[in-house]
Amino acid sequence: GIQVEQSPPDLILQEGANSTLRCNFSDSVNNLQWFHQNPWGQLINLFYIPSGTKQNGRLSATTVATERYSLLYISSSQTTDSGVYFCAVEPQPGGGNKLTFGTGTQLKVEL
Amino acid sequence: DAGITQSPRHKVTETGTPVTLRCHQTENHRYMYWYRQDPGHGLRLIHYSYGVKDTDKGEVSDGYSVSRSKTEDFLLTLESATSSQTSVYFCAISESGTWLAEQFFGPGTRLTVL
């Protein structure tokens, strides 16, 4: 099945810093989503982004489907950004009828 | 807010007992999903539903059954709980009405099987 790799696995930032999280996938996809799991365990949908670029406040995401990767940008990080960031992909038909999740990037933002 | 609630939020049970987890949504979404989250495995799909009484298996369905008798409720049953089913269980919906489209998750149920 499709492989989804996220990097870096862990990241520590000072409040106010910027960061880029990467999601690589091994095959063509129908859709790609980014999620944030906060320290209390809640999973929050950040972006539904099969291709192109979207922005939502301090967060933006870009997916380059032809090159099989997606990037999540966090600008001016805050302590509330801490948690785990997951990307998830739906393979194109024939690749598995489910979302495949990456193993996540654990982010800690310190004061 | 996708209006998804799960109950119970925490449960401790013993091996061999039946357990039912409930997912309730308030916005009439067609697609609903049950996932489990385990360290080292991430989120994995257990079962899903594409309408009332329409359900199908995901990638880790052994030992689980589901039912959906009303649009708003999707039940996950462990017929005879085992320690390997200790996990955090999440329910999700697809907001746009398209299979696997933009998913929103409930708060999760932490299940411990002793």
Side-chain angles (χ1 to χ4, degrees):
Chain A
I2 194 168
Q3 302 298 311
V4 181
E5 296 183 353
Q6 292 186 241
S7 60
D10 299 280
L11 185 59
I12 300 175
L13 298 175
Q14 295 295 309
E15 195 173 45
N18 303 326
S19 63
T20 301
L21 282 56
R22 187 176 180 104
C23 173
N24 291 334
F25 42 96
S26 61
D27 210 341
S28 300
V29 298
N30 278 339
N31 89 59
L32 185 144
Q33 302 180 45
W34 282 98
F35 298 91
H36 175 218
Q37 188 166 35
N38 65 26
W40 296 270
Q42 177 68 43
L43 279 157
I44 300 162
N45 192 299
L46 298 175
F47 294 102
Y48 172 71
I49 185 166
S51 64
T53 297
K54 290 186 177 179
Q55 181 155 8
N56 185 0
R58 296 181 295 102
L59 273 59
S60 64
T62 295
T63 297
V64 184
T66 54
E67 297 187 21
R68 301 181 183 172
Y69 72 90
S70 183
L71 302 175
L72 178 68
Y73 306 95
I74 304 174
S75 64
S76 304
S77 58
Q78 301 176 358
T79 56
T80 53
D81 295 329
S82 296
V84 184
Y85 290 81
F86 294 100
C87 66
V89 302
E90 176 198 357
Q92 287 194 347
N97 194 23
K98 62 181 179 66
L99 281 182
T100 297
F101 286 76
T103 52
T105 292
Q106 175 87 50
L107 173 65
K108 183 176 182 181
V109 181
E110 299 177 335
L111 291 171
Chain B
D1 184 358
I4 307 167
T5 57
Q6 292 183 231
S7 59
R9 294 292 313 281
H10 302 271
K11 186 171 183 66
V12 179
T13 191
E14 294 189 350
T15 298
T17 59
V19 176
T20 296
L21 309 182
R22 179 183 184 234
C23 176
H24 179 77
Q25 55 132 335
T26 60
E27 299 185 5
N28 211 33
H29 297 294
R30 177 184 179 189
Y31 293 101
M32 300 184 75
Y33 315 82
W34 276 108
Y35 290 89
R36 59 179 290 176
Q37 185 177 29
D38 305 289
H41 291 279
L43 280 141
R44 294 178 292 174
L45 183 65
I46 306 171
H47 279 281
Y48 60 92
S49 171
Y50 44 97
V52 173
K53 297 186 180 179
D54 291 324
T55 65
D56 208 342
K57 297 179 179 180
E59 64 179 311
V60 289
S61 59
D62 287 349
Y64 302 95
S65 62
V66 290
S67 65
R68 193 170 178 196
S69 59
K70 298 183 291 184
T71 299
E72 58 266 35
D73 289 327
F74 191 30
L75 304 181
L76 177 70
T77 297
L78 290 65
E79 301 289 349
S80 178
T82 68
S83 58
S84 65
Q85 294 175 311
T86 293
S87 186
V88 180
Y89 291 86
F90 288 97
C91 173
I93 59 93
S94 287
E95 188 156 87
S96 72
T98 304
W99 167 246
L100 291 181
E102 199 169 10
Q103 294 204 351
F104 290 84
F105 286 83
T109 294
R110 184 173 295 276
L111 176 67
T112 302
V113 183
L114 302 176

Tab-separated table of all heavy atoms in Angstrom, chain A residues 14-19 58 74-78 81:
chain	number	residue	atom	x	y	z
A	14	GLN	N	11.059	27.940	19.742
A	14	GLN	CA	10.781	29.048	20.644
A	14	GLN	C	9.557	29.781	20.122
A	14	GLN	O	9.350	29.896	18.892
A	14	GLN	CB	11.973	29.999	20.719
A	14	GLN	CG	13.214	29.374	21.343
A	14	GLN	CD	12.988	29.024	22.797
A	14	GLN	OE1	12.545	29.856	23.583
A	14	GLN	NE2	13.306	27.784	23.165
A	15	GLU	N	8.758	30.260	21.022
A	15	GLU	CA	7.573	31.021	20.611
A	15	GLU	C	7.967	32.154	19.666
A	15	GLU	O	8.951	32.859	19.907
A	15	GLU	CB	6.863	31.584	21.835
A	15	GLU	CG	5.450	32.065	21.549
A	15	GLU	CD	4.702	32.465	22.812
A	15	GLU	OE1	5.292	33.167	23.651
A	15	GLU	OE2	3.539	32.051	22.960
A	16	GLY	N	7.224	32.286	18.586
A	16	GLY	CA	7.502	33.317	17.593
A	16	GLY	C	8.268	32.822	16.383
A	16	GLY	O	8.312	33.505	15.349
A	17	ALA	N	8.851	31.628	16.483
A	17	ALA	CA	9.614	31.075	15.362
A	17	ALA	C	8.684	30.508	14.301
A	17	ALA	O	7.510	30.227	14.549
A	17	ALA	CB	10.566	30.003	15.864
A	18	ASN	N	9.249	30.344	13.105
A	18	ASN	CA	8.525	29.736	11.993
A	18	ASN	C	9.024	28.297	11.779
A	18	ASN	O	10.153	27.961	12.152
A	18	ASN	CB	8.741	30.527	10.702
A	18	ASN	CG	8.335	31.979	10.833
A	18	ASN	OD1	7.391	32.313	11.552
A	18	ASN	ND2	9.056	32.862	10.144
A	19	SER	N	8.181	27.463	11.161
A	19	SER	CA	8.603	26.087	10.902
A	19	SER	C	7.901	25.540	9.671
A	19	SER	O	6.844	26.043	9.259
A	19	SER	CB	8.300	25.194	12.104
A	19	SER	OG	6.906	25.125	12.337
A	58	ARG	N	-2.204	31.873	10.671
A	58	ARG	CA	-0.745	31.690	10.689
A	58	ARG	C	-0.315	30.387	10.018
A	58	ARG	O	0.884	30.141	9.882
A	58	ARG	CB	-0.263	31.677	12.142
A	58	ARG	CG	-0.479	32.979	12.894
A	58	ARG	CD	0.058	32.894	14.318
A	58	ARG	NE	-0.687	31.921	15.120
A	58	ARG	CZ	-0.231	30.702	15.400
A	58	ARG	NH1	0.956	30.291	14.983
A	58	ARG	NH2	-0.960	29.891	16.141
A	74	ILE	N	4.031	26.815	9.618
A	74	ILE	CA	3.510	27.466	10.809
A	74	ILE	C	4.351	28.713	11.038
A	74	ILE	O	5.578	28.636	11.213
A	74	ILE	CB	3.602	26.554	12.048
A	74	ILE	CG1	2.882	25.225	11.784
A	74	ILE	CG2	3.018	27.254	13.280
A	74	ILE	CD1	3.041	24.206	12.902
A	75	SER	N	3.720	29.861	11.020
A	75	SER	CA	4.461	31.111	11.239
A	75	SER	C	4.135	31.665	12.624
A	75	SER	O	3.055	31.425	13.165
A	75	SER	CB	4.103	32.142	10.164
A	75	SER	OG	2.745	32.503	10.265
A	76	SER	N	5.097	32.383	13.165
A	76	SER	CA	4.933	33.021	14.484
A	76	SER	C	4.316	32.050	15.486
A	76	SER	O	3.255	32.306	16.076
A	76	SER	CB	4.058	34.269	14.361
A	76	SER	OG	4.602	35.168	13.420
A	77	SER	N	4.992	30.935	15.696
A	77	SER	CA	4.416	29.848	16.498
A	77	SER	C	4.057	30.308	17.917
A	77	SER	O	4.681	31.209	18.486
A	77	SER	CB	5.386	28.675	16.557
A	77	SER	OG	6.621	29.068	17.103
A	78	GLN	N	3.021	29.667	18.442
A	78	GLN	CA	2.536	29.925	19.792
A	78	GLN	C	2.501	28.614	20.562
A	78	GLN	O	2.468	27.536	19.973
A	78	GLN	CB	1.140	30.558	19.723
A	78	GLN	CG	1.090	31.863	18.956
A	78	GLN	CD	-0.308	32.425	18.821
A	78	GLN	OE1	-1.284	31.819	19.272
A	78	GLN	NE2	-0.413	33.589	18.198
A	81	ASP	N	0.215	25.897	19.605
A	81	ASP	CA	0.492	25.082	18.411
A	81	ASP	C	1.107	23.735	18.782
A	81	ASP	O	1.243	22.858	17.922
A	81	ASP	CB	1.448	25.813	17.469
A	81	ASP	CG	0.846	27.089	16.894
A	81	ASP	OD1	-0.389	27.135	16.721
A	81	ASP	OD2	1.615	28.042	16.639
